[in-house]
Amino acid sequence: MIETSHDGRVLTIEISRPEQLNALNAQVLREIRDAVEGTRHDTSVGCIVIRGKGERAFSAGADLDEIRALPVEDAQAFIHAGQRTMSAIADSVVPVIAEVDGYALGGGFELMLACHLVVASSRSRFGLPEARIGCIPGFGGTQRLAMSVGKPAALLLMLGGERIDADRAWQIGLLSVPPLAPAEAATEARRLAELIATGSRRGTANILDAARPAFAASALDHEAALAAISIASRDGQEGIISFAERRAPIFEREES
């Protein structure tokens, strides 16, 4: 479900599910992880670019068809698979650039957050809508977003669930360069990848290691547990079903 191409010292990973807005299911997550981890001992690769196929989405998030009706144990397995993929990207020994064109929502937004650099087109839209469907970000987003933009902006994005445009994403520090026209964004992502790939692999790996934000593994475990409970809950399933049916969800209102 991904397509890879190796040109010079740049490896491009393209999520190839345009009809599903490049949604992330277990197979996509596994294939991305395998491709990234495969560069650890492949010294011919100096930089990775991750992108989505088509003009509509980088990735619109987790595949809701796959997580609908999952019990807690299976939901947690899916969440842990997503976390392992995001951690493989964040811990990569070569820099990873997210080339975003279109939607980067939910799990797709978290995929972008795990990358080291982000180049986006001006038509891109970003957001974590999980709270609107009774769920929470589960692929490390609750930790990485706050480290990227600060707690107040992160909580606003997560609690409000609203989408922001590329200009706002640049203003709050989500992007590495200002938003560009789609063709220019693709060119800039390639230029940066080739520039980075000319450097020393050992040197760039050491920079990534030194700059890597540290958060306790227990924080990810706690996030995964809460995300699984949310997905399997009455509100979570109602949110997922209502989203597919294009209607407003009807959530429980009892005090927790």
Side-chain angles (χ1 to χ4, degrees):
M1 293 189 177
I2 68 169
E3 298 175 6
T4 62
S5 59
H6 192 165
D7 184 10
R9 290 179 51 76
V10 177
L11 174 69
T12 299
I13 300 171
E14 185 173 70
I15 306 169
S16 185
R17 305 186 74 202
E19 297 305 315
Q20 295 78 30
L21 298 182
N22 298 315
L24 305 174
N25 61 18
Q27 182 178 341
V28 173
L29 292 168
R30 183 175 61 253
E31 291 183 8
I32 293 173
R33 183 173 70 251
D34 288 347
V36 171
E37 290 180 341
T39 66
R40 179 168 293 275
H41 302 293
D42 183 356
T43 58
S44 69
V45 177
C47 192
I48 300 169
V49 175
I50 298 180
R51 54 174 297 162
K53 194 179 187 69
E55 300 179 350
R56 298 178 63 196
F58 173 70
S59 172
D63 191 330
L64 297 184
D65 287 337
E66 184 157 308
I67 64 176
R68 184 183 302 175
L70 286 182
V72 172
E73 295 79 7
D74 292 342
Q76 194 157 16
F78 177 78
I79 293 296
H80 278 304
Q83 287 189 351
R84 286 193 297 272
T85 296
M86 305 312 155
S87 293
I89 294 167
D91 296 340
S92 172
V93 297
V94 298
V96 183
I97 299 173
E99 180 191 320
V100 179
D101 185 24
Y103 295 120
L105 304 175
F109 186 101
E110 294 178 281
L111 174 62
M112 179 195 81
L113 283 176
C115 297
H116 305 115
L117 299 175
V118 181
V119 178
S121 72
S122 55
R123 64 186 174 190
S124 297
R125 296 294 181 268
F126 309 83
L128 290 171
E130 284 86 350
R132 312 300 299 175
I133 59 170
C135 299
I136 73 167
F139 293 166
T142 62
Q143 306 302 304
R144 292 192 178 94
L145 182 57
M147 291 181 174
S148 295
V149 302
K151 185 176 178 180
L155 284 175
L156 179 60
L157 283 170
M158 289 189 285
L159 295 175
E162 293 181 317
R163 297 176 186 177
I164 60 173
D165 62 21
D167 287 332
R168 182 59 179 158
W170 166 247
Q171 290 169 4
I172 64 175
L174 282 171
L175 309 184
S176 302
V177 297
L180 299 163
E184 293 174 348
T187 299
E188 179 66 1
R190 180 70 193 187
R191 185 191 74 81
L192 289 175
E194 291 177 347
L195 173 66
I196 291 168
T198 62
S200 158
R201 254 181 66 115
R202 185 180 299 275
T204 55
N206 287 339
I207 290 171
L208 292 176
D209 191 23
R212 185 170 295 122
F215 49 83
S218 59
L220 287 181
D221 289 339
H222 188 53
E223 180 193 77
L226 291 173
I229 291 169
S230 298
I231 289 171
S233 71
R234 188 255 178 214
D235 274 1
Q237 288 302 306
E238 165 63 12
I240 292 169
I241 292 169
S242 66
F243 182 84
E245 294 178 351
R246 299 180 182 273
R247 61 173 173 83
I250 303 172
F251 293 135
E252 293 181 319
R253 297 301 178 189
E254 292 85 356
E255 294 295 327
S256 58

